[in-house]
Amino acid sequence: MSEFVDNWAVSDRMGPRMCTVGHAAVDHCFDIAEFPAQPTKTPAHRYRMISGGMASNASIAAARLGARVRLHGAVGDDEAGAFLHGRLCNNGVDCTGLQRVPGASSSISAVVIDAHGERQIFNSRGDALARAGALDTRGFEGADVVMVDPRWMRGATQALHWARANGVLSVLDGDISPQADLQVLSALADWSVFSESGLAAFAPGLALPAALQLAIAAGTQVAVVTLGQRGVYWLRASQAGEVQFLPSFPIKAVDTNGAGDVFHAALAIALADGLGDRAAIRFGAAAAAIKCQRAGGVVNGPDRAELDAFLAAAP
């Protein structure tokens, strides 16, 4: 236990202590002028290899915002896994909970980004998470907030059960996944924060208010959906069906890749710091807006001083 707990103490950050659980991937990013109308050869004017994956991205984004972050997940013992481990550690993430699975393959994605900042992702998930050992919940002791994604169901479920049993705030990153998985995780998380496609996977065929209400009925306390430039909608269980809305910040997007993960990380930090619903969601939306104006992944997301200055200057 001391290996985990002592690492909270030696961090040079003073922000909340966050445990993330889930997916890490290598992203091969290609910048193009526009998506072709039909299959063809399309030249890319820039290429970058960066870290990706929901939990990995959120971990780096949270560390940049001053949180003490510990990632629990799994990568292979291949070159991609070594790259991810090094990238995370170099960006201030505690990787004592990141398993290197012998003989397993790491998750790898091709990310194509057009001139408007929109992206398409093609992923080969590998088998590291499927072959990972059990989650070591000793690494959660002392955490202020736990964030999970659906890519490692066994780990995410165990983490949310631990958070509920110990009275620790929990957040679900509800991206597109099997409906049954999202239903299980949403019932356990305090905050269920869906992408638009994630909410459609959770509640297929339902209009937005009904889909959020379904998440509340399942057991989550706050159901949220992020719609990019169309803003954020959310519903709290105690608000008797009244859906709330926050408009997006007016920006010119350069690269939206990782923006949702930055939103989740900043939201979790704001909640751990005690901000109310609207203020916390605004904090997350501002962090995502800054990220969208920069290329290069979450390592170029905002630090806390930049985010505070952005919020101070915003209407």
Side-chain angles (χ1 to χ4, degrees):
M1 183 180 297
S2 60
E3 176 188 10
F4 285 110
V5 175
D6 288 351
N7 282 342
W8 290 133
V10 301
S11 172
D12 60 356
R13 295 175 175 83
M14 297 300 294
R17 295 163 295 191
M18 180 188 301
C19 281
T20 56
V21 179
H23 188 213
V26 172
D27 283 357
H28 296 277
C29 298
F30 302 85
D31 293 339
I32 65 172
E34 60 182 3
F35 293 112
Q38 58 186 13
T40 184
K41 290 183 178 180
T42 303
H45 58 263
R46 182 167 53 175
Y47 163 79
R48 305 175 304 282
M49 185 172 74
I50 63 175
S51 54
M54 290 182 284
S56 172
N57 275 347
S59 298
I60 292 174
R64 285 189 58 78
L65 290 169
R68 291 168 282 179
V69 188
R70 180 174 293 150
L71 172 62
H72 298 257
V75 295
D77 61 353
D78 50 12
E79 290 183 5
F83 172 81
L84 286 167
H85 188 276
R87 179 93 162 185
L88 286 157
C89 291
N90 290 339
N91 281 279
V93 178
D94 178 347
C95 291
T96 52
L98 181 63
Q99 302 176 37
R100 297 287 305 276
V101 183
S105 56
S106 301
S107 181
I108 298 176
S109 297
V111 183
V112 184
I113 305 159
D114 74 3
H116 303 288
E118 297 299 326
R119 86 283 191 269
Q120 292 189 20
I121 300 176
F122 306 87
N123 177 249
S124 174
R125 199 166 293 170
D127 60 354
L129 285 174
R131 296 174 55 185
L135 179 73
D136 188 349
T137 56
R138 295 178 301 171
F140 289 77
E141 297 296 333
D144 299 306
V145 59
V146 172
M147 178 186 295
V148 308
D149 69 47
R151 299 294 180 253
W152 186 24
M153 273 298 293
R154 181 174 59 161
T157 303
Q158 191 175 358
L160 292 177
H161 277 297
W162 180 92
R164 179 160 293 185
N166 289 275
V168 174
L169 175 72
S170 60
V171 179
L172 166 65
D173 181 346
D175 200 6
I176 185 168
S177 296
Q179 182 183 23
D181 291 352
L182 293 173
Q183 289 175 336
V184 168
L185 298 178
S186 183
L188 295 170
D190 295 326
W191 281 66
S192 294
V193 187
F194 297 96
S195 64
E196 186 171 13
S197 56
L199 187 64
F202 171 78
L206 291 185
L208 186 151
L212 294 178
Q213 185 60 58
L214 184 65
I216 296 295
T220 199
Q221 294 302 300
V222 185
V224 184
V225 60
T226 59
L227 304 178
Q229 64 182 1
R230 291 178 286 138
V232 183
Y233 290 85
W234 75 97
L235 177 64
R236 176 172 279 278
S238 59
Q239 291 176 334
E242 184 180 352
V243 176
Q244 306 292 313
F245 172 70
L246 184 79
S248 63
F249 290 92
I251 61 159
K252 178 175 176 55
V254 172
D255 181 356
T256 60
N257 188 36
D261 304 320
V262 173
F263 176 91
H264 285 83
L267 171 67
I269 288 172
L271 294 172
D273 282 343
L275 271 65
D277 294 357
R278 180 173 291 274
I281 289 171
R282 185 172 183 265
F283 190 85
I290 295 171
K291 162 61 197 76
C292 287
Q293 296 176 87
R294 301 172 178 174
V298 296
V299 295
N300 291 329
D303 60 27
R304 185 59 183 263
E306 290 172 321
L307 179 51
D308 289 342
F310 181 93
L311 284 166

